[in-house]
């Protein structure tokens, strides 16, 4: 894990999201599902982001501008640099026989990198609108649905090793339908390395710090 100042290579809109491209330099891209803390200049709190793509000397992050911190990251341009700390947390277990990627909304962020590492397995994605679904272009060949259709309705009948990231209700539904699914949970994170408990969530009556125990947890864990 390293904290480094890195130059922004570019920022492009993808539907309502922004694809932020950062010089990789000596940073290890990590395992898909791990995350980096990104700190926009002048912002106090860094934001956790999983790597969306690691290509050609760049780390690429898909960001949803939902608050001041994420909006500041989306507004960065080639003139800027930012602090990057990572890779942090636990990523997906890539030792799977029959992977199926499942993503919902901004939860598709780690899936292009995961798909690259797993040799482009099938993927099913759910979005809240056509505009949000423009991000499906990051995973060519994925099957896509838009609300009110939910991504769980696209689950094939035959058994797959499900690797998923998305909003909590989607992950909760998957835990029931596919008990051994690997699920990447989202949580607000202040430190990113276990010190603040800002990311603690209650799962089956137990408090889990997602930054150190997750973000990827086995569904039945
Ligand atoms: Fe601080 Fe997890 S983000 S303990």
């Amino acid at each position: 894990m390293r904290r480094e100042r890195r130059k922004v290579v570019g920022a492009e809109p993808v539907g309502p999201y922004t694809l932020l491209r950062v010089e990789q330099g000596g940073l290890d891209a990590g395992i898909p599902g791990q995350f980096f803390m990104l700190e926009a200049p002048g912002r106090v709190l860094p934001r956790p982001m999983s790597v969306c793509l690691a290509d050609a000397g760049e780390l690429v992050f898909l960001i949803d501008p939902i608050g001041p911190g994420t909006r500041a990251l989306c507004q960065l341009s080639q003139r800027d640099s930012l602090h990057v700390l990572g890779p942090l947390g636990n990523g997906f277990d890539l030792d799977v026989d029959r992977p199926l990627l499942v993503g919902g909304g901004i939860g598709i962020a780690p899936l292009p990198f995961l798909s690259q590492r797993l040799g482009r397995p099938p993927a099913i994605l759910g979005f809240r609108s056509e505009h949000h679904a423009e991000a499906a272009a990051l995973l060519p060949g994925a099957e896509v649905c838009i609300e009110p259709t939910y991504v769980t309705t696209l689950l094939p009948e035959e058994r797959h090793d499900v690797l998923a990231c998305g909003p909590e209700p989607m992950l909760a539904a998957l835990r029931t339908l596919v008990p051994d699914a690997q699920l990447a949970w989202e949580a607000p994170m202040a430190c990113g390395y276990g010190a603040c408990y800002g990311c603690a969530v209650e799962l089956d009556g137990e408090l889990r710090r997602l930054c150190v125990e997750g973000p990827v947890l086995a569904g039945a864990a």
Side-chain angles (χ1 to χ4, degrees), residues 146-158:
I146 313 272
E147 280 180 28
T149 304
Y150 289 110
V151 73
T152 43
T153 62
L154 302 180
L155 280 172
E157 280 187 6
E158 60 277 23

Side-chain angles (χ1 to χ4, degrees), residues 81-137:
S81 58
L82 74 168
H83 276 112
V84 180
L85 170 72
L88 297 160
N90 295 307
F92 289 99
D93 177 1
L94 306 184
D95 186 14
V96 285
D97 295 330
R98 213 172 167 202
L100 172 71
L101 313 190
V102 183
I106 187 60
I108 78 151
L111 301 188
F113 185 30
L114 181 60
S115 178
Q116 200 176 43
R117 287 287 170 93
L118 289 175
R120 313 268 168 223
I124 55 177
L125 307 175
F127 293 94
R128 122 169 65 121
S129 72
E130 295 279 353
H131 188 42
H132 290 82
E134 286 176 38

Side-chain angles (χ1 to χ4, degrees), residues 33-35 88-92 183-185 189 192-195 197 199-203 206-218 221:
Q34 285 190 292
F35 65 96
L88 297 160
N90 295 307
F92 289 99
L183 307 175
W185 297 83
M189 295 185 189
Y193 47 80
Y197 279 76
C199 63
V201 292
E202 194 175 326
L203 284 174
E206 240 184 277
L207 269 191
R208 319 276 297 262
R209 279 173 302 169
L210 285 177
C211 69
V212 283
E213 290 192 55
V216 179
L217 299 172

